[in-house]
Amino acid sequence: MKKFIYAAALVIAGLNATPTFAHDYELGKLRVSQPWARATARHVPNGAVYMTLSIAGMTADRLIAVSTPVAKRAALHTLLMDKGIMKMRPVKAIEVSPGSPTSLEPGGLHIMLMGLKAPLKEGQLIPLRLTFARAGTLDIEALVQKPGAMAPAHRRTRSHSKD
Amino acid sequence: MKLRYIVLAIAGVLAVALVAAARWHLPLNPLAGGGSRTVTAGASKISIGGPFTLVTQAGKTVTDATFRGKYLLVYFGYTYCPDVCPTELAKIATVLDRLGPLAAAIQPLFVTVDPARDSPSVLASYVPQFYERLIGLTGTPAQIARIAKAYHVYYAKVEDKTSPGAYSMDHSAAVYLMGPKGEYLTMFSHQTGPDTMVKTLREYVKKTS
């Protein structure tokens, strides 16, 4: 399945200058779907990465750490809306339960990148190393979208602008 | 001996109160849910908006009077905010794009609640990403405190315990619509979608022009 996606990616990459969709990754029963990030401004050293985590089988797992060469630190955060006040707080781990995918998306759970070495540019692929409590480490690449993007680009071959 | 303890206790309470007052600003958040024309707290209305003096991303000093004649969409945030602020600013940009020619009557403003880090040059690299006519505003902590108080915007610094010096800002995440005379019209919560905002803006901007 992964090979097919890579082959399709090569074909599509050939048709476009930059990749137009984000990949899925698997580690044992874990699946990391469409990791993506937002482009950042020149002086802003923080960024956010999003993805969907799911797991087959009967046993849950937890994302407990993230690292990346593109930033000094990566941490797990969530957003809490409290009487109209937006609060960002660190979380120690992100649960992945069978039958219940966990979505890291704008307005909620996210991986925060701190101390970006360079601004993230649309179309860039960011390498990340995810560490799960049970499954171990998984290396992925997140595709950078527009600064205000709300979702990753579709993985289908039809091209359309992000809306 | 008892008197000394009483004095110490009172001093202690005052000290705590002073620290608390310094850390927090009056957290009056008119609405958590969708927009509404008037805002009430108990029997009286809270007035939203008021005079301000701030500096744009180009280093130009502006006041509330600078924008008379335009509708304002005012959003308070900070550039180091990785999630909510880009979402909200992109939403404002989408809404203005959808309004077409009507958007010319509306001036979007991004006011930072983190003036320590958001200097004019930081704002200059940040705001054009979202909308070419978006004006970013910063100032001294006192100037920011003044406009935040006028709009009843809550904001507070939250230290990152795992990284010295790093912090995020808790802040009210609403967008305020002000009229061409500087009067408060309505507000949009973070949950309000672009369709609702477009619809509401078409009502207000057509009605009073």
Side-chain angles (χ1 to χ4, degrees):
Chain A
M1 185 57 190
K2 218 173 168 183
K3 283 209 179 97
F4 176 80
I5 292 176
Y6 274 104
L10 281 173
V11 171
I12 290 158
L15 296 172
N16 302 287
T18 53
T20 53
F21 59 89
H23 298 281
D24 277 13
Y25 297 85
E26 279 169 13
L27 175 66
K29 296 196 161 27
L30 265 173
R31 184 187 205 92
V32 175
S33 302
Q34 298 195 280
W36 65 283
R38 284 168 159 174
T40 59
R42 192 157 44 97
H43 291 296
V44 175
N46 294 346
V49 181
Y50 310 97
M51 61 193 65
T52 304
L53 304 172
S54 55
I55 193 163
M58 306 278 283
T59 316
D61 204 339
R62 284 160 28 239
L63 175 62
I64 55 176
V66 184
S67 67
T68 174
V70 308
K72 288 205 190 89
R73 286 177 58 222
L76 308 175
H77 282 159
T78 192
L79 287 164
L80 308 162
M81 190 52 129
D82 176 17
K83 299 197 235 337
I85 303 167
M86 196 45 100
K87 301 179 178 181
M88 188 170 68
R89 294 289 181 267
V91 294
K92 285 210 168 70
I94 295 179
E95 293 288 323
V96 195
S97 301
S100 174
T102 306
S103 179
L104 282 70
E105 58 188 23
L109 290 163
H110 57 277
I111 294 169
M112 183 157 160
L113 305 182
M114 291 161 279
L116 287 168
K117 295 175 185 166
L120 302 179
K121 290 186 162 54
E122 193 182 344
Q124 183 184 349
L125 283 167
I126 310 169
L128 294 137
R129 172 160 290 180
L130 307 179
T131 303
F132 294 88
R134 292 173 157 272
T137 62
L138 173 64
D139 288 338
I140 65 166
E141 283 183 323
L143 181 60
V144 181
Q145 312 284 338
K146 289 182 170 31
M150 293 300 292
H154 289 280
R155 71 175 102 179
R156 290 178 184 77
T157 56
R158 69 190 148 107
S159 65
H160 63 277
S161 54
K162 222 6 249 79
D163 60 22
Chain B
M1 198 178 77
K2 261 194 193 157
L3 182 62
R4 186 206 281 209
Y5 284 134
I6 292 171
V7 169
L8 278 175
I10 292 172
V13 169
L14 276 176
V16 170
L18 272 172
V19 170
R23 272 209 68 209
W24 280 284
H25 301 262
L26 192 62
L28 276 173
N29 287 288
L31 288 172
S36 149
R37 239 161 269 221
T38 57
V39 163
T40 53
S44 62
K45 278 188 212 163
I46 298 174
S47 75
I48 290 189
F52 60 79
T53 303
L54 296 166
V55 179
T56 71
Q57 73 260 34
K60 183 171 155 222
T61 299
V62 295
T63 69
D64 51 300
T66 311
F67 301 107
R68 292 284 184 270
K70 290 265 188 197
Y71 291 82
L72 299 178
L73 280 173
V74 190
Y75 177 67
F76 293 79
Y78 64 111
T79 68
Y80 280 49
C81 166
D83 185 297
V84 171
C85 302
T87 298
E88 208 59 40
L89 291 175
K91 184 169 72 175
I92 290 171
T94 299
V95 165
L96 291 172
D97 280 344
R98 285 206 211 157
L99 287 171
L102 220 55
I106 304 170
Q107 175 58 60
L109 299 177
F110 173 66
V111 181
T112 184
V113 296
D114 185 13
R117 292 187 299 202
D118 289 346
S119 64
S121 60
V122 171
L123 289 177
S125 79
Y126 185 76
V127 296
Q129 288 188 113
F130 298 101
Y131 192 68
E132 64 278 4
R133 284 195 305 111
L134 176 63
I135 293 178
L137 295 171
T138 183
T140 65
Q143 288 172 328
I144 296 296
R146 189 172 173 227
I147 186 176
K149 188 166 181 215
Y151 282 77
H152 296 277
V153 164
Y154 172 87
Y155 63 105
K157 193 164 150 178
V158 180
E159 304 283 349
D160 181 348
K161 295 188 187 90
T162 62
S163 181
Y167 62 90
S168 68
M169 302 295 295
D170 287 352
H171 61 97
S172 307
V175 179
Y176 303 85
L177 176 64
M178 311 301 284
K181 299 191 191 77
E183 77 279 25
Y184 168 74
L185 293 178
T186 189
M187 63 189 278
F188 306 101
S189 76
H190 185 61
Q191 286 87 354
T192 307
D195 294 337
T196 306
M197 283 180 75
V198 168
K199 187 158 164 273
T200 306
L201 285 167
R202 283 197 199 283
E203 288 168 13
Y204 276 103
V205 180
K206 210 193 318 183
K207 214 193 284 183
T208 36
S209 62

